[in-house]
Amino acid sequence: MSEKITAMIEEIKGLTVLELSELVHALEEEFGVSAAAMAAPAAAAGPAVEEKTEFDVVLTGFDAAAKIKVIKVVREITGQGLAEAKATVENAPSTLKEAISKDDAEALKKQIEEVGGKVELK
């Protein structure tokens, strides 16, 4: 970097926020450009957000009156025995299934919520 540019950078470092704002506006007027217009393409060119393809089904709670129904559905989903399924439900939040497709996760969520369970997809 040239000495001239290094000196300008050092000078800019010493400015207050108000002075920096005034400098930006003066440069925009002088050169007929907008700092916002330059920042927008850089933000748009950022990494694309990948759509999540795998979900975890987490039992977060249940309606106390529907506890037995929820335990039955949890047994069905997980293949656990009665004691294990009861412990899973009582110890909510509990992960029931991991890394399954969105459609399968939505189906399980619906199945559990129909009997009184509360489910979260992560």
Side-chain angles (χ1 to χ4, degrees), residues 17-50:
V17 174
L18 184 57
E19 291 170 330
L20 282 171
S21 176
E22 290 173 4
L23 174 63
V24 168
H25 290 297
L27 290 171
E28 287 176 338
E29 285 180 25
E30 180 68 30
F31 297 107
V33 295
S34 171
M38 296 305 292
V49 177
E50 292 183 30

Side-chain angles (χ1 to χ4, degrees), residues 5 8 10 21 27 30 33 37-39 43 55 59 62 65 72 76 80 83 85-86 91 94 98 102 110 113 118-119:
I5 292 175
M8 278 200 260
E10 289 303 316
S21 176
L27 290 171
E30 180 68 30
V33 295
M38 296 305 292
F55 294 85
L59 178 69
F62 58 92
K72 286 180 181 180
E76 209 175 284
Q80 295 175 328
K86 181 177 184 254
N91 294 323
S94 306
E98 294 180 338
K102 183 175 183 175
K110 183 179 177 189
E113 287 178 343
K118 294 176 182 65
V119 179

Side-chain angles (χ1 to χ4, degrees), residues 72-80 96-97 108 111-112:
K72 286 180 181 180
V73 172
V74 168
R75 280 187 70 192
E76 209 175 284
I77 291 169
T78 61
Q80 295 175 328
L96 303 178
K97 288 282 186 178
L108 292 179
Q111 187 179 0
I112 295 167

